Amino acid sequence: MKGRINTELGDIAISPDVIAMYAGSVAVECFGIVGMAAVNMKDGLVKLLKKESLKHGINVTLNDNKISLDFHVIVSYGVSILAVADNLISNVKYKVEEFTGLEIERINILVEGVRVID
């Protein structure tokens, strides 16, 4: 399902992959976020994703032109997870709403791992 915006000149359709890629690029800029995570359900292993595959760590759901995002992230060791999550939510909500013109209904943060940064 795509996000749709009706304008006087026509319709705009936004792919969930575009939203995921943009939200992922915003997320990795946030303080305390090491990167997005991919979870292997079979083995239960967590893998840090490269910048080219950020959208794989994000699930986008569109319902009545409202966006729900699930972030699978790896955070830096020694930072407050609550502070990182609050920062991530506020940045993503503002920037994705401005980028798409659609409302963010829900953002879920799933911390899949912790990494020590050199």
Side-chain angles (χ1 to χ4, degrees):
M1 177 179 218
K2 295 186 178 194
R4 296 200 178 277
I5 302 169
N6 299 320
T7 68
E8 58 196 42
L9 298 175
D11 294 338
I12 301 169
I14 304 171
S15 168
D17 284 346
V18 171
I19 296 169
M21 184 59 85
Y22 185 74
S25 66
V26 170
V28 295
E29 292 174 359
C30 292
F31 172 77
I33 300 291
V34 174
M36 305 309 296
V39 180
N40 183 340
M41 294 300 176
K42 182 178 153 192
D43 301 328
L45 297 174
V46 176
K47 181 174 113 179
L48 181 64
L49 295 172
K50 295 179 179 160
K51 292 210 185 266
E52 304 85 52
S53 53
L54 290 176
K55 68 182 181 182
H56 297 297
I58 302 171
N59 296 329
V60 177
T61 307
L62 290 160
N63 190 16
D64 295 329
N65 279 341
K66 292 185 180 178
I67 304 170
S68 294
L69 298 168
D70 295 333
F71 286 88
H72 298 267
V73 297
I74 297 176
V75 297
S76 299
Y77 176 80
V79 298
S80 166
I81 292 175
L82 180 60
V84 170
D86 284 344
N87 184 29
L88 176 63
I89 289 168
S90 65
N91 282 340
V92 167
K93 181 173 176 25
Y94 174 74
K95 289 183 178 178
V96 171
E97 284 181 345
E98 288 294 311
F99 178 69
T100 63
L102 301 173
E103 181 184 342
I104 299 277
E105 182 176 40
R106 173 181 216 102
I107 298 176
N108 298 313
I109 312 286
L110 297 104
V111 179
E112 302 291 353
V114 177
R115 288 270 169 102
V116 176
I117 304 297
D118 295 332

